[in-house]
Amino acid sequence: MYRTENCGELTEAHVGKSVKLAGWVQKRRDLGGVIFIDLRDRSGLVQIVVNTETAPDAFIIADTVRSEYVISVSGHVVKRDPQSVNEKMSTGTIELLVEEMAIINKAKTPPFAIKDQVDTADDVRLKYRYLDLRRPEMVETLKMRHRITQKIRKYLDEKGFLDIETPILTKSTPEGARDYLVPSRVHPGEFYALPQSPQLFKQLLMVSGMEKYYQIARCFRDEDLRADRQPEFTQVDIEMSFFEQEPFMSMMEQLMVELVDEVKGVKVTSPFLRMTHREAMARYGSDKPDIRFDMELKDLSDIVKDSSFKVFQQAVLGGGQVKAINVKGQAEAYSRKAIDELAVFVSTYGAKGLAWLKVDEGGFKGPISKFFDESTAEKMAAQTQAENGDLLLFVADKAKIVADSLGALRVKLAKDLGLIDESVLSFLWITEFPLLSYDEEAGRYVAEHHPFTMPMMEDIEKLESKPGEVRAQAYDLVLNGYELGGGSQRIYQRDIQELMFKTLGFTKERATEQFGFLLDAFEYGTPPHGGIALGLDRLVMILSGRSNLRDTIAFPKTASASCLLTNAPSEVSPDQLKELSLEIDKPKITK
Amino acid sequence: MYRTENCGELTEAHVGKSVKLAGWVQKRRDLGGVIFIDLRDRSGLVQIVVNTETAPDAFIIADTVRSEYVISVSGHVVKRDPQSVNEKMSTGTIELLVEEMAIINKAKTPPFAIKDQVDTADDVRLKYRYLDLRRPEMVETLKMRHRITQKIRKYLDEKGFLDIETPILTKSTPEGARDYLVPSRVHPGEFYALPQSPQLFKQLLMVSGMEKYYQIARCFRDEDLRADRQPEFTQVDIEMSFFEQEPFMSMMEQLMVELVDEVKGVKVTSPFLRMTHREAMARYGSDKPDIRFDMELKDLSDIVKDSSFKVFQQAVLGGGQVKAINVKGQAEAYSRKAIDELAVFVSTYGAKGLAWLKVDEGGFKGPISKFFDESTAEKMAAQTQAENGDLLLFVADKAKIVADSLGALRVKLAKDLGLIDESVLSFLWITEFPLLSYDEEAGRYVAEHHPFTMPMMEDIEKLESKPGEVRAQAYDLVLNGYELGGGSQRIYQRDIQELMFKTLGFTKERATEQFGFLLDAFEYGTPPHGGIALGLDRLVMILSGRSNLRDTIAFPKTASASCLLTNAPSEVSPDQLKELSLEIDKPKITK
């Protein structure tokens, strides 16, 4: 037997006991005749002591071990002298007096130190992922990921949801993101697609009467990756029949309440705040607002539309808005230069400028203050709750640009100014999403969530006349400014689904070819159903306090969708291509 | 709210209560003024009664409903008259007196009846899988699958195993079965492969110090499919560090004991029987013997090698064997014609013939009886424990053909003769597998399990001299004649792994190109590790008493790897191919 105990679990209760340990050498110090080793396993660290007097054979071995060697030791647990106690270590009041030691496997010097907060380049971390994962914060993150999924599974099991696997080799339905394709050998020229979500299958499970389904499902999108995207990601997929939105949201809230209590010991209260999409956009300029701080967007359009400031006037006249955020008490802190930098920031969201006013005893100060008469200025101050020392920042533009730029600026300023209490978990539902949005490039409406989302019944008559005004029976769960996931009541009637496809510009033929099996299924006794899909990677990221999705995934890919550890993707043999009836149709581009 | 109770969960305790139900119309009978409907949901059936006198509005609606309509009803639960009790129904002593009824969704007449034991063609079942899944036995199978995975997860969690996801987009390593490939858009001409198992990643997790890992993992093999294979299948993948074979096997036994108790209420005892591969092949002609019945293979080579029966003589002389099975008491039951049919059966396993003897008072009877003198006949009878009325069936051939043909015949006869107690779960470990087998076609040794399996230490010196004789530290878990899964101690030293690749005919360059990252990883402090992979689909199949893997999977594929429901795989657009830098290199073959 390699070991009787885990390193990090030894306590003073073990003092006097004979134990065996196995693990990795974290650190080794030779104090002349006595060698101290910090021994590490998954559970943590413990100090082991090898004395040349009492354990001469073990000492000879200990003399040769180096960092990351795998060793096994046996000996007695003893209490440390008071002056040797290490309070930073959970096992810091004890140590193991080694009697025997064996080297299980040697190690080369790792390319970076196995500890947190290392300043190692990302690509080195990814190439040596098996060493990167030895760092305590990586171990803790994967442990938390395990606890999170375990809790979710337990909760859903208790609520009667069945864990049902849906296929990974599915059919390509090029609506939405780009599919990863898998050539078929048996059917030359044909392809499977990896699922972007189990959407169609979970709906078919509802048609099949499974009633309550969940799956922690791998999903795939062949998109150009940003820092917080991965080509494969994991979704907590939940769907139920005889669905009603409010009880379903309550059940999800209860899951979140129990989950964050269990994995973080944080108490949150339910029901969570609910806010319509319209309100969220108006107040926070975002459909996933971080409500851990205020600094809301204030609409000044009506107040300033008659002012002499042309920029504001014209924005409102052109159907746009003038909005401001009040950066409380920061008038002094932001110089013109600092504000210019904020203007550059908002310009990335399309804002043509960032107007500003500072408030002091005498009223508004700043280059545009002259454009507002006393009455207007008073109204502006009232609307923004401006007080002495405040900084007001304005964007005047189309509604979308105002929302995007001030929404992002609000978050940036809160971070810069330390306004966010990182210990708080602030859940929020966003409801009444628009069903459709107009895609200028495609010249047609596209589904805001997906084409299977049920319109709000009172809006359904507008589907053909004013598609942009139709609201969806859809909701997003937001946590600390991140979209944790979204869901909806689904369409379960063939006629409404056909109308939806038509609204999205599908011909009848294309709707039948791509989704005919679903339309057919709806005719065989389909119950009302709905559900939600939560991004597991993001949930783990937020709850574990990491800043990158990659850190929540054991073997992630780079922004160019490569695995630096295994070197995937890679070239394959001509035989493999031939079997798949494929040819590469352009010369390989040098990377 | 659609419902307050589930149909199948109503009991006499509900009598007098007002409840709401929702579900599917299983059956509807109109007895003139009273309509009886069997209402079905996931939990089961209940009879609802609509009386034109007491609920005229509901009656009008009930008059229009047809099979598989989705309806909701409210009313009171009443006890049935004694003469109306239906003992076949778990809710057969009660019924619901309907007060209100609503049609939630209509249904066309389904292409087959929603009940068990339907004689519907497989392709119709698969095309309408959402209806096929409504059948009670399909619901029960998926429920059992859920309970099995839930139990496995709980057990492994309690033992400290972490559920860690490994990538689906991985690197192609063309050793073993054929990979499914995924073309990369970002890296033209390069491909990912879908994993045949998480083998390399789980070993890397052990290098990373995760110590105990599990995953219920989707795996993929692009092989020509037999009835019991699927292109994607699910594996319970378990790996641990500081691994020792016996304690690990005990832990797996405990999992199985608890699992079959929990999901089937069957008590099995551990430790399970252990048998070496050599013994299993000798006694049962199989490395996955069904030990619920005897009829073992008896070696008669030494006894018959000097007989005058040339076929036996020459088989032994040529290095082969003569073995027999004793079909107890079946001499009368098998005519010459019936035995000829068995000969045809064994010929599919390569046997050139099936010799036979019947035993009666006067000794052996049958065309070959004359070849054996009294002394030989006595020894043969003793060796096969032959008694009056027994039928002995002989195969004389190379060892592999003898094993394959008699091993298969043994199972066939046991099934034909009803010798198998289907209520028994008979677990068994097969150990000491050969590490390598010689592949005539490839002209080299190939790994029996996979190239990462540790040889038995006492055999390791034979790796270069007599590779065929090296035994592996590998074991299979067998249940009722099925291989549930297999595992091994893994190689964790670079030098042994390199030697293994060399033995398998890898050049150093190829080993480095394909598995260099693993060889490198082994040099950074790799603990001894090992584990097992269990076929979940097969486990579910056996425990749920189904005869087909497809019935354990919600959306399976056909033998030509097609999904008849969604019509995958399918052609994709020229734009999709262009983005992937691919061309189809031959005209589409008409299917």
Side-chain angles (χ1 to χ4, degrees):
Chain A
M1 195 168 44
Y2 285 103
R3 55 185 176 181
T4 58
E5 311 291 334
N6 294 320
C7 296
E9 291 165 6
L10 288 178
T11 66
E12 292 188 35
H14 293 89
V15 168
K17 294 205 173 120
S18 178
V19 303
K20 287 194 77 170
L21 301 175
W24 288 261
V25 173
Q26 176 75 30
K27 204 163 72 181
R28 176 183 158 286
R29 280 157 299 149
D30 185 343
L31 299 188
V34 185
I35 291 171
F36 293 89
I37 290 172
D38 284 352
L39 189 65
R40 187 191 72 236
D41 64 18
R42 197 182 76 180
S43 67
L45 289 170
V46 71
Q47 177 165 285
I48 67 172
V49 185
V50 196
N51 193 308
T52 186
E53 304 280 324
T54 56
D57 292 346
F59 188 86
I60 291 167
I61 295 169
D63 200 35
T64 70
V65 308
R66 296 291 176 269
S67 286
E68 302 307 315
Y69 272 40
V70 184
I71 63 172
S72 69
V73 293
S74 60
H76 280 80
V77 180
V78 297
K79 228 171 135 118
R80 294 202 205 179
D81 294 335
Q83 69 272 26
S84 314
V85 165
N86 181 346
E87 288 180 355
K88 288 186 197 151
M89 224 167 159
S90 70
T91 60
T93 63
I94 52 155
E95 60 196 11
L96 184 82
L97 275 189
V98 172
E99 284 146 22
E100 288 180 54
M101 177 179 286
I103 293 172
I104 296 176
N105 214 343
K106 295 183 178 183
K108 295 204 294 196
T109 305
F112 49 84
I114 307 301
K115 61 180 187 187
D116 291 341
Q117 277 96 39
V118 283
D119 201 16
T120 310
D122 276 354
D123 56 349
V124 178
R125 286 181 57 192
L126 291 173
K127 178 173 162 61
Y128 295 95
R129 188 64 167 179
Y130 47 87
L131 298 177
D132 193 39
L133 290 176
R134 287 186 189 168
R135 297 192 296 111
E137 64 181 13
M138 299 303 283
V139 177
E140 288 313 311
T141 303
L142 291 186
K143 279 185 187 170
M144 180 178 274
R145 187 176 176 116
H146 165 80
R147 288 204 305 278
I148 289 171
T149 56
Q150 197 77 8
K151 172 63 190 174
I152 291 172
R153 291 179 186 283
K154 183 158 177 280
Y155 181 88
L156 293 172
D157 176 54
E158 285 164 2
K159 299 285 177 194
F161 286 80
L162 298 179
D163 180 5
I164 301 176
E165 294 176 74
T166 56
I168 297 288
L169 294 171
T170 65
K171 178 178 163 140
S172 181
T173 54
E175 171 75 13
R178 205 184 278 111
D179 286 326
Y180 276 105
L181 297 180
V182 182
S184 163
R185 178 178 55 84
V186 183
H187 307 277
E190 298 189 350
F191 292 78
Y192 305 95
L194 305 183
Q196 297 183 28
S197 99
Q199 185 65 34
L200 297 172
F201 290 104
K202 71 184 168 191
Q203 291 197 246
L204 290 166
L205 285 172
M206 295 305 104
V207 180
S208 80
M210 289 300 154
E211 295 191 17
K212 291 179 171 184
Y213 141 94
Y214 89 91
Q215 187 182 196
I216 299 188
R218 203 72 61 83
C219 305
F220 306 85
R221 283 184 199 168
D222 185 11
E223 291 298 305
D224 299 312
L225 304 173
R226 304 188 306 247
D228 63 346
R229 283 265 184 97
Q230 284 281 317
E232 50 183 308
F233 57 98
T234 304
Q235 186 164 299
V236 180
D237 205 47
I238 305 171
E239 191 84 0
M240 70 178 288
S241 295
F242 307 112
F243 168 94
E244 287 161 297
Q245 187 168 322
E246 269 302 320
F248 183 80
M249 286 163 77
S250 296
M251 189 192 67
M252 292 307 300
E253 289 177 353
Q254 188 58 25
L255 169 57
M256 288 298 141
V257 167
E258 292 184 21
L259 178 68
V260 302
D261 187 18
E262 187 160 317
V263 305
K264 285 191 73 84
V266 172
K267 311 285 180 196
V268 294
T269 51
S270 64
F272 300 162
L273 187 64
R274 283 144 165 77
M275 194 181 287
T276 64
H277 179 265
R278 179 184 297 266
E279 182 180 351
M281 294 307 291
R283 289 174 56 189
Y284 299 99
S286 169
D287 59 2
K288 43 179 194 282
D290 191 336
I291 55 169
R292 290 175 297 176
F293 61 95
D294 297 326
M295 213 193 294
E296 295 186 16
L297 279 58
K298 300 294 181 183
D299 194 344
L300 299 157
S301 307
D302 278 352
I303 298 169
V304 300
K305 69 173 192 288
D306 300 322
S307 76
S308 57
F309 187 37
K310 286 271 186 312
V311 174
F312 284 7
Q313 254 184 37
Q314 286 166 0
V316 181
L317 225 64
Q321 297 176 326
V322 178
K323 286 191 164 189
I325 54 175
N326 181 350
V327 195
K328 295 300 291 179
Q330 299 294 329
E332 290 295 312
Y334 282 82
S335 62
R336 276 180 190 238
K337 188 156 166 272
I339 295 173
D340 285 347
E341 280 165 19
L342 299 180
V344 171
F345 175 82
V346 293
S347 73
T348 62
Y349 296 88
K352 288 181 291 288
L354 183 71
W356 58 273
L357 286 171
K358 291 179 175 179
V359 191
D360 78 1
E361 304 278 347
F364 288 141
K365 295 281 179 291
I368 68 165
S369 59
K370 61 185 176 216
F371 296 116
F372 309 106
D373 60 31
E374 201 169 326
S375 152
T376 305
E378 265 169 31
K379 287 181 199 154
M380 289 167 72
Q383 173 77 344
T384 56
Q385 291 158 295
E387 296 171 314
N388 282 339
D390 289 356
L391 168 66
L392 301 182
L393 297 171
F394 300 81
V395 172
D397 216 309
K398 284 187 234 166
K400 185 176 170 3
I401 289 175
V402 171
D404 289 353
S405 55
L406 281 182
L409 182 61
R410 174 182 172 270
V411 172
K412 175 189 165 47
L413 287 169
K415 283 184 184 155
D416 290 351
L417 296 167
L419 302 182
I420 300 170
D421 181 349
E422 295 289 350
S423 72
V424 169
L425 293 174
S426 198
F427 286 98
L428 165 75
W429 290 104
I430 304 295
T431 63
E432 297 185 20
F433 272 80
L435 182 70
L436 305 158
S437 59
Y438 193 77
D439 183 329
E440 300 282 352
E441 207 176 313
R444 64 174 178 94
Y445 280 94
V446 294
E448 184 81 5
H449 277 74
H450 54 58
F452 313 103
T453 306
M454 184 79 91
M456 287 181 73
M457 281 306 154
E458 55 262 52
D459 293 353
I460 211 164
E461 60 192 10
K462 287 192 264 184
L463 248 186
E464 294 193 87
S465 55
K466 297 174 180 170
E469 290 182 17
V470 178
R471 289 164 302 164
Q473 295 190 47
Y475 38 84
D476 275 4
L477 182 58
V478 171
L479 172 57
N480 292 359
Y482 289 99
E483 180 203 325
L484 266 195
S488 61
Q489 160 94 21
R490 322 299 182 190
I491 298 169
Y492 62 98
Q493 308 94 328
R494 182 173 185 132
D495 54 350
I496 299 182
Q497 188 65 65
E498 283 180 332
L499 178 58
M500 183 70 181
F501 284 137
K502 193 179 155 200
T503 308
L504 294 172
F506 281 59
T507 61
K508 201 147 189 161
E509 290 66 35
R510 193 176 144 218
T512 304
E513 190 204 318
Q514 281 185 26
F515 300 108
F517 59 97
L518 185 72
L519 294 167
D520 289 345
F522 283 170
E523 293 195 284
Y524 285 100
T526 299
H529 58 282
I532 199 165
L534 302 175
L536 178 66
D537 308 313
R538 188 165 289 162
L539 179 62
V540 174
M541 184 183 83
I542 300 170
L543 295 187
S544 63
R546 311 307 304 265
S547 56
N548 196 310
L549 280 183
R550 277 207 302 270
D551 287 345
T552 71
I553 297 168
F555 299 103
K557 296 200 171 57
T558 64
S560 67
S562 298
C563 173
L564 298 182
L565 168 57
T566 61
N567 198 26
S570 58
E571 289 183 32
V572 298
S573 71
D575 283 353
Q576 285 175 289
L577 290 180
K578 196 166 170 223
E579 280 194 312
L580 296 172
S581 310
L582 288 183
E583 274 176 7
I584 311 297
D585 82 344
K586 58 170 151 176
K588 182 137 172 283
I589 288 161
T590 311
K591 274 174 293 185
Chain B
M1 196 167 44
Y2 286 104
R3 54 184 176 182
T4 59
E5 311 292 333
N6 294 318
C7 297
E9 291 165 5
L10 287 179
T11 67
E12 292 188 36
H14 293 90
V15 169
K17 293 206 173 118
S18 178
V19 304
K20 288 194 76 171
L21 301 174
W24 288 260
V25 172
Q26 177 74 32
K27 207 163 70 181
R28 176 182 159 285
R29 281 157 301 151
D30 185 345
L31 299 187
V34 186
I35 291 171
F36 293 88
I37 290 172
D38 284 352
L39 188 65
R40 188 190 70 235
D41 64 17
R42 197 182 76 180
S43 67
L45 290 170
V46 72
Q47 177 166 286
I48 66 173
V49 184
V50 197
N51 193 309
T52 186
E53 304 280 325
T54 55
D57 293 346
F59 188 87
I60 292 168
I61 294 170
D63 200 36
T64 70
V65 308
R66 295 292 176 269
S67 286
E68 302 307 315
Y69 272 40
V70 184
I71 62 172
S72 69
V73 292
S74 59
H76 280 79
V77 180
V78 297
K79 228 170 134 119
R80 294 201 204 180
D81 296 334
Q83 68 271 27
S84 313
V85 164
N86 181 345
E87 288 180 356
K88 287 186 195 149
M89 224 167 158
S90 71
T91 58
T93 63
I94 52 154
E95 59 196 11
L96 184 81
L97 275 190
V98 172
E99 286 147 21
E100 290 179 53
M101 177 180 286
I103 293 172
I104 297 176
N105 213 344
K106 294 183 179 184
K108 295 205 293 195
T109 304
F112 49 84
I114 308 300
K115 61 180 186 186
D116 291 340
Q117 277 95 40
V118 283
D119 201 17
T120 311
D122 277 354
D123 56 349
V124 178
R125 287 181 56 192
L126 291 173
K127 178 172 162 59
Y128 295 94
R129 187 64 168 180
Y130 46 88
L131 298 177
D132 193 38
L133 289 176
R134 286 186 191 168
R135 296 193 295 111
E137 66 181 12
M138 298 303 283
V139 176
E140 287 315 310
T141 303
L142 291 186
K143 279 185 186 170
M144 181 178 273
R145 188 176 175 116
H146 165 80
R147 288 203 305 278
I148 288 171
T149 55
Q150 197 78 7
K151 172 64 191 175
I152 292 172
R153 291 180 187 283
K154 181 157 178 280
Y155 181 88
L156 292 172
D157 177 54
E158 283 164 4
K159 298 285 177 195
F161 287 80
L162 298 179
D163 179 5
I164 301 177
E165 294 176 75
T166 56
I168 297 288
L169 295 171
T170 65
K171 178 177 162 142
S172 179
T173 54
E175 171 76 12
R178 204 184 280 112
D179 287 326
Y180 276 105
L181 297 181
V182 182
S184 164
R185 179 178 54 85
V186 184
H187 306 278
E190 298 189 349
F191 292 78
Y192 305 94
L194 304 183
Q196 298 184 26
S197 98
Q199 185 64 34
L200 297 172
F201 290 104
K202 72 184 168 192
Q203 292 198 244
L204 289 166
L205 285 172
M206 295 304 105
V207 179
S208 80
M210 289 299 154
E211 295 192 15
K212 291 178 170 184
Y213 141 93
Y214 88 91
Q215 187 182 196
I216 298 187
R218 203 73 61 83
C219 305
F220 306 84
R221 283 184 200 167
D222 186 10
E223 291 298 304
D224 299 312
L225 304 174
R226 302 188 309 247
D228 64 343
R229 283 265 183 96
Q230 283 282 316
E232 49 182 310
F233 57 98
T234 304
Q235 185 164 300
V236 179
D237 206 46
I238 304 172
E239 191 84 2
M240 69 177 289
S241 295
F242 306 113
F243 168 94
E244 286 162 300
Q245 186 168 322
E246 269 303 321
F248 183 79
M249 286 163 76
S250 297
M251 190 192 66
M252 292 308 300
E253 289 176 352
Q254 188 59 25
L255 168 57
M256 288 298 141
V257 167
E258 292 183 21
L259 178 66
V260 302
D261 187 17
E262 188 161 317
V263 305
K264 284 191 72 83
V266 172
K267 311 285 179 193
V268 295
T269 52
S270 64
F272 299 160
L273 187 64
R274 284 146 165 75
M275 194 181 289
T276 64
H277 179 266
R278 179 183 298 265
E279 183 181 351
M281 294 307 291
R283 290 174 56 191
Y284 300 98
S286 169
D287 59 2
K288 42 180 193 284
D290 191 336
I291 56 169
R292 288 175 298 176
F293 60 97
D294 296 327
M295 214 194 292
E296 295 187 15
L297 280 58
K298 300 295 182 183
D299 194 344
L300 300 156
S301 308
D302 278 352
I303 298 169
V304 301
K305 70 172 191 287
D306 300 323
S307 76
S308 57
F309 188 36
K310 286 273 186 311
V311 174
F312 284 7
Q313 255 186 36
Q314 284 165 0
V316 181
L317 226 64
Q321 299 175 325
V322 178
K323 287 191 164 188
I325 54 175
N326 180 349
V327 195
K328 294 300 288 180
Q330 297 296 328
E332 291 295 312
Y334 282 81
S335 63
R336 278 181 189 236
K337 188 158 166 269
I339 296 173
D340 284 347
E341 279 165 21
L342 300 180
V344 171
F345 176 81
V346 293
S347 73
T348 63
Y349 296 88
K352 287 182 290 288
L354 183 71
W356 57 274
L357 287 170
K358 291 180 175 179
V359 192
D360 78 2
E361 303 279 347
F364 288 140
K365 294 281 178 290
I368 67 165
S369 60
K370 62 188 174 213
F371 297 114
F372 309 106
D373 59 30
E374 200 170 326
S375 152
T376 304
E378 266 169 31
K379 286 183 199 153
M380 289 168 71
Q383 174 75 346
T384 56
Q385 292 158 294
E387 296 172 314
N388 282 339
D390 290 354
L391 168 66
L392 301 182
L393 298 171
F394 300 81
V395 173
D397 217 309
K398 283 187 233 167
K400 185 175 169 4
I401 289 174
V402 171
D404 289 353
S405 55
L406 281 182
L409 182 60
R410 174 183 173 270
V411 172
K412 174 187 166 46
L413 288 168
K415 283 184 185 158
D416 290 352
L417 297 167
L419 303 182
I420 300 171
D421 181 350
E422 295 290 349
S423 72
V424 169
L425 294 174
S426 198
F427 287 97
L428 165 75
W429 290 105
I430 305 295
T431 63
E432 298 185 19
F433 272 80
L435 183 69
L436 304 160
S437 59
Y438 193 77
D439 183 330
E440 301 283 350
E441 207 176 313
R444 63 175 178 93
Y445 282 94
V446 294
E448 185 80 5
H449 275 73
H450 54 58
F452 313 103
T453 306
M454 184 77 92
M456 288 181 72
M457 280 308 156
E458 55 264 51
D459 293 353
I460 211 164
E461 60 193 9
K462 288 192 264 185
L463 248 186
E464 294 194 88
S465 55
K466 298 174 179 170
E469 291 182 16
V470 178
R471 290 165 301 166
Q473 295 190 45
Y475 38 84
D476 275 3
L477 182 58
V478 172
L479 172 57
N480 292 0
Y482 290 99
E483 180 203 324
L484 266 194
S488 61
Q489 160 94 23
R490 322 299 182 190
I491 298 169
Y492 61 98
Q493 309 93 330
R494 181 172 186 133
D495 53 350
I496 299 181
Q497 188 64 65
E498 283 179 333
L499 178 58
M500 183 69 181
F501 284 136
K502 192 178 155 201
T503 309
L504 294 172
F506 281 59
T507 60
K508 200 149 189 158
E509 290 66 34
R510 193 176 144 217
T512 304
E513 190 203 317
Q514 282 186 25
F515 299 108
F517 59 97
L518 185 72
L519 294 167
D520 289 346
F522 283 170
E523 293 195 285
Y524 286 100
T526 299
H529 58 282
I532 200 165
L534 303 174
L536 178 65
D537 308 313
R538 188 165 290 162
L539 179 62
V540 175
M541 184 182 83
I542 301 170
L543 296 187
S544 63
R546 310 307 303 266
S547 56
N548 196 310
L549 281 183
R550 278 207 301 268
D551 287 345
T552 71
I553 296 168
F555 300 102
K557 295 199 171 57
T558 65
S560 67
S562 297
C563 173
L564 298 182
L565 169 57
T566 61
N567 198 25
S570 59
E571 289 182 34
V572 298
S573 72
D575 283 354
Q576 285 176 290
L577 290 180
K578 197 168 170 219
E579 280 195 312
L580 296 173
S581 311
L582 288 183
E583 275 176 8
I584 311 297
D585 84 343
K586 57 170 150 175
K588 184 143 171 278
I589 288 163
T590 310
K591 276 175 291 183

